[in-house]
Amino acid sequence: EFNLKYRVYEESESFPAVLIGFNTQGKGKYDEINERYDQKAMGLYLVASRNWNAIGNLGFHIGINKNDMEGQDKDINLFFGFDKEINRSFSLLAEYNFARNDDEIKDSNGIDLREGRGIFNLGVRWSATDNLMLEFNFNDTFKNIKYLDEDSLPVKSRVREVKIIYFEQF
């Protein structure tokens, strides 16, 4: 899987930054039956972001995406989020995905695995060094997604995720 993004326009005092990207990596477990991740990958997306200095960085982001790769639902989707820097090392993250393109997913028995409420994710990021970050995420806090237990019965559950992020600029 990969995530490619390009900033089309740098943020200015009067206009937000604009970014276009393509992401094939979904979130959560990979579902072998439906051949996709629990949370659908963004696919092609466009995002506008604006940041302010409010006792540390405060950023708001809004975007639109379309993913024709995973599942049958090919609707255009909307999402938004924010990040708030607590200090130089820690940031809080939140995002809400309307999941308009992710409401037609069923298990092998035909049981609907989505509640239709959208997906709300929360996280905290620690910048350990200039190039290394650790991120702890609590995905699907509204329990929109049902998972199959060991008896193949649908159950609701939140997903916890840890990311190790290393980056270099060139």
Side-chain angles (χ1 to χ4, degrees), residues 49-52 56-61 81-85 92 94:
S49 295
R50 184 72 171 98
N51 293 280
W52 290 272
N57 185 60
L58 173 64
F60 288 95
H61 321 281
F82 81 91
D83 58 278
K84 174 63 179 114
E85 191 176 76
L92 297 176

Side-chain angles (χ1 to χ4, degrees), residues 152-168:
S152 296
L153 297 172
V155 293
K156 295 180 182 181
S157 176
R158 293 179 187 95
V159 175
R160 290 148 318 272
E161 177 180 72
V162 176
K163 292 182 184 177
I164 300 171
I165 305 166
Y166 178 80
F167 59 93
E168 281 289 337

Side-chain angles (χ1 to χ4, degrees), residues 125-128 131-135 163-167:
R125 181 181 292 154
W126 174 46
S127 297
N131 301 79
L132 179 67
M133 294 186 290
L134 296 176
E135 191 172 292
K163 292 182 184 177
I164 300 171
I165 305 166
Y166 178 80
F167 59 93

Side-chain angles (χ1 to χ4, degrees), residues 86-137:
I86 302 301
N87 58 33
R88 289 189 46 152
S89 297
F90 289 95
S91 296
L92 297 176
L93 315 167
E95 64 183 7
Y96 182 77
N97 184 335
F98 285 90
R100 292 175 34 96
N101 65 344
D102 200 13
D103 56 3
E104 295 177 8
I105 187 79
K106 300 185 184 312
D107 70 3
S108 60
N109 298 319
I111 296 172
D112 192 4
L113 295 177
R114 299 294 183 263
E115 295 286 328
R117 289 188 299 262
I119 301 168
F120 184 57
N121 300 324
L122 295 171
V124 62
R125 181 181 292 154
W126 174 46
S127 297
T129 69
D130 289 340
N131 301 79
L132 179 67
M133 294 186 290
L134 296 176
E135 191 172 292
F136 304 94
N137 295 312

Side-chain angles (χ1 to χ4, degrees), residues 1-3 12 23 25 47 50 52 57 68 70 77 83 89 98 106 119 143 150 154 164 170:
E1 307 295 344
F2 67 94
N3 186 0
S12 68
N23 185 351
Q25 177 69 56
V47 177
R50 184 72 171 98
W52 290 272
N57 185 60
D68 287 338
E70 294 182 34
N77 185 44
D83 58 278
S89 297
F98 285 90
K106 300 185 184 312
I119 301 168
K143 294 185 178 183
E150 59 275 353
I164 300 171
F170 56 93

